[in-house]
Amino acid sequence: MTEPVQVVDVSEKDPRGDRWGTRRFSLRGRVTLLAAVSVAGAVALVSLGAYLVVKENLYQQVDDNLRARAQAAVDSPQVQTELQQVPGAFLASADLQIGQLTVGEKIRLTYPQSGSRPPYGEDEIAVATGDKAFSLRTDPKTDSRVVALPQGPGQAMVLAQSLGPTKRTLNELSVVLFLIGGAGILVAAAAGTAVARAGLRPVDRLTSAAERVATTGDLRPIPVSGDDELARLTQSFNTMLGTVAESQERQRQLVADAGHELRTPLTSLRTNLELLLSASRPGARTLSDEDRSDIEADIRGQLDELTQLIGDLVELARQDEPRIEHERVEMVDVVERALDRARRRAGEIEFDVSLQPWVLTGDTSALERAVLNLLDNAVKFSPEGSTVGVRLYPVGDGTAVLEVADAGPGIADEDLPKVFDRFYRSSEARTLPGSGLGLAIVQHAAQRHGGDVYAGRAPEGGALMTLRLPGAPA
């Protein structure tokens, strides 16, 4: 009977990290790790270089000292002992292995009785026979450096020095370098942690602010200190928070104003509909044809007012959307299309038009709607049979102005600063049809294209609306 096998799907990622559930390093951890790795690399390179230089120097000193002593041994006088005559260097070689290699019918090595026999091989024999001027090698069996110099016909002086003390010195040096390098890495890691903590403190504040905004919607700016890159990042974040706060405030104001403006026509529409429904019930007092006609006319007017208000609100919402693509706009064409639409509902009002070519980059439909709102506003306040003046001309500073002057009563001084506010309607305009959003749409379109709009008085006494837009002559 086989045991059940559990199959694990390893393709799924742990939400806390990468595949296999490994946790990603934080930025502070990466900075600390980078500092430690950088110092570790630098310390490793310096330590390795120092170790190799010291090692080379120590071995060179051993070789130089060994060759000098070998030459001194060759040059030393012969000393007569009780048994034989030997080099005088044998008497001062307690720290060396020294011997005299003689090659004849057979090979013989003479060395002090109190010392140990130095190693020899083919290299030393070649020196004794005169085939080589000298030899210097490391003997792997005894772990010593061996030097041989010729001493005479068939003879060579052989000296050997153990490498044990030199290797112990190198081992001690490697331990010291390792400890110093390890301490340096720990100090670098601690310094990297401190630097990361201090340097990333503004990032922590930005993170906390972003979390606070996401959780509470609080758009208060973050305190800025310093003038480095993180300070500029904080300033940019504060600018973004200010833009979001301003957008939210505009949305709240738009909703509040729209609700206020919609309440009156909806209330009137509901009242008229209730009157019609009550009159249609059995036993209720019937309405006269004149009353019914008046109520129906009121309903149609209220529906038209609601339609216009909703259309203006949709236009404002559409203009608030970011536009990625723009096109070449011929302002003369835009104004002429708006004039064609305005003439169809202007009645007996005439237009005195003077247009000079002007080109800019922008949204054709938004500019046409803005011009049409200016023309409709002029028509609304102009008496029958009057003339509305329309002028488009450059002013010489890289901008052109579109002036629309009506023959109406003009704008009161106290109303001039408010005419472009949303839903604002002067006392004279409250009895006329309109939503109070037309001029607000004009201002929004002008500012989106880098321009502006102004309200003033025409020479004839009516209102003068001036739309200024950047661009170039066609």
Side-chain angles (χ1 to χ4, degrees):
M1 181 177 181
T2 60
E3 296 182 357
V5 179
Q6 182 179 4
V7 179
V8 180
D9 183 4
V10 299
S11 64
E12 295 183 359
K13 293 186 178 181
D14 193 297
R16 298 169 299 176
D18 295 330
R19 186 174 292 184
W20 314 108
T22 55
R23 185 178 179 84
R24 290 190 179 98
F25 273 141
S26 64
L27 181 57
R28 182 181 292 112
R30 290 197 295 271
V31 171
T32 302
L33 180 62
L34 178 61
V37 170
S38 300
V39 172
V43 169
L45 290 176
V46 172
S47 300
L48 180 61
Y51 181 82
L52 293 177
V53 170
V54 172
K55 178 181 178 181
E56 181 66 24
N57 288 337
L58 287 178
Y59 277 110
Q60 188 63 43
Q61 289 178 8
V62 171
D63 292 345
D64 293 343
N65 179 66
L66 196 57
R67 291 187 63 178
R69 297 185 68 175
Q71 187 64 48
V74 170
D75 297 338
S76 66
Q78 299 290 319
V79 177
Q80 183 69 39
T81 65
E82 296 178 356
L83 299 178
Q84 60 181 347
Q85 194 176 32
V86 297
F90 281 12
L91 304 178
S93 58
D95 59 334
L96 296 173
Q97 294 173 294
I98 186 171
Q100 187 179 42
L101 180 64
T102 304
V103 178
E105 295 180 357
K106 58 180 180 179
I107 300 173
R108 184 181 62 199
L109 180 65
T110 304
Y111 59 94
Q113 294 181 357
S114 59
S116 58
R117 172 177 172 273
Y120 71 93
E122 295 180 357
D123 292 336
E124 289 75 24
I125 295 173
V127 173
T129 58
D131 295 335
K132 295 178 66 174
F134 79 97
S135 71
L136 181 62
R137 66 183 179 88
T138 299
D139 185 65
K141 294 182 180 180
T142 60
D143 192 22
S144 60
R145 292 288 281 176
V146 182
V147 65
L149 291 177
Q151 194 178 18
Q155 289 185 338
M157 184 64 67
V158 181
L159 278 76
Q161 183 173 358
S162 174
L163 294 176
T166 303
K167 291 187 175 181
R168 283 194 296 272
T169 301
L170 291 174
N171 290 336
E172 292 173 358
L173 176 64
S174 63
V175 172
V176 171
L177 291 176
F178 178 79
L179 293 178
I180 293 176
I185 293 172
L186 293 178
V187 171
T193 302
V195 170
R197 182 178 293 111
L200 296 178
R201 191 171 293 117
V203 178
D204 293 336
R205 289 201 297 267
L206 287 177
T207 303
S208 300
E211 293 173 350
R212 184 191 73 217
V213 170
T215 304
T216 65
D218 186 2
L219 300 177
R220 289 177 300 174
I222 305 170
V224 181
S225 60
D227 57 353
D228 55 4
E229 290 80 0
L230 291 175
R232 290 196 293 272
L233 176 61
T234 305
Q235 292 173 351
S236 300
F237 192 81
N238 286 339
T239 302
M240 182 189 68
L241 290 179
T243 303
V244 173
E246 183 180 355
S247 176
Q248 286 187 351
E249 180 61 28
R250 287 200 307 267
Q251 290 177 357
R252 283 194 292 266
Q253 187 65 36
L254 178 62
V255 171
D257 293 341
H260 175 75
E261 293 296 324
L262 286 170
R263 187 177 297 114
T264 300
L266 285 176
T267 302
S268 178
L269 185 61
R270 179 177 180 176
T271 301
N272 288 327
L273 288 175
E274 287 179 349
L275 284 175
L276 290 176
L277 292 175
S278 299
S280 63
R281 293 193 184 98
R285 187 174 67 87
T286 60
L287 295 174
S288 64
D289 294 338
E290 182 179 358
D291 291 339
R292 181 178 293 274
S293 177
D294 291 340
I295 293 175
E296 290 175 353
D298 287 343
I299 292 176
R300 282 192 296 270
Q302 290 151 7
L303 288 176
D304 291 340
E305 185 177 353
L306 282 174
T307 301
Q308 182 179 359
L309 178 58
I310 293 172
D312 290 341
L313 289 173
V314 171
E315 179 66 19
L316 278 176
R318 189 182 69 86
Q319 290 190 2
D320 283 336
E321 297 176 355
R323 297 289 178 179
I324 300 177
E325 297 182 359
H326 293 282
E327 57 186 348
R328 176 185 171 93
V329 180
E330 297 278 355
M331 278 304 296
V332 172
D333 296 340
V334 170
V335 175
E336 287 178 348
R337 287 195 299 269
L339 282 168
D340 291 340
R341 296 171 61 182
R343 287 189 179 102
R344 290 195 291 267
R345 48 200 184 199
E348 298 180 1
I349 297 176
E350 299 294 332
F351 292 92
D352 180 15
V353 181
S354 174
L355 306 177
Q356 297 184 31
W358 191 254
V359 178
L360 68 152
T361 301
D363 185 355
T364 301
S365 60
L367 290 173
E368 184 177 341
R369 177 61 184 268
V371 175
L372 180 61
N373 285 356
L374 291 178
L375 297 176
D376 287 342
N377 186 76
V379 168
K380 180 169 62 175
F381 289 98
S382 296
E384 292 292 333
S386 61
T387 301
V388 173
V390 181
R391 302 284 184 273
L392 174 63
Y393 59 92
V395 293
D397 59 351
T399 62
V401 295
L402 173 67
E403 295 180 345
V404 179
D406 62 46
I411 303 175
D413 292 338
E414 62 272 14
D415 293 329
L416 283 175
K418 305 175 183 178
V419 292
F420 297 106
D421 294 344
R422 293 177 177 179
F423 299 105
Y424 180 78
R425 302 178 73 182
S426 63
S427 56
E428 293 82 1
R430 288 171 186 166
T431 58
L432 300 174
S435 62
L437 291 175
L439 294 181
I441 293 174
V442 175
Q443 184 184 51
H444 195 280
Q447 292 175 351
R448 281 184 57 209
H449 289 80
D452 209 343
V453 62
Y454 312 96
R457 298 180 186 275
E460 296 79 7
L464 174 64
M465 297 295 176
T466 303
L467 176 63
R468 182 186 292 267
L469 294 171

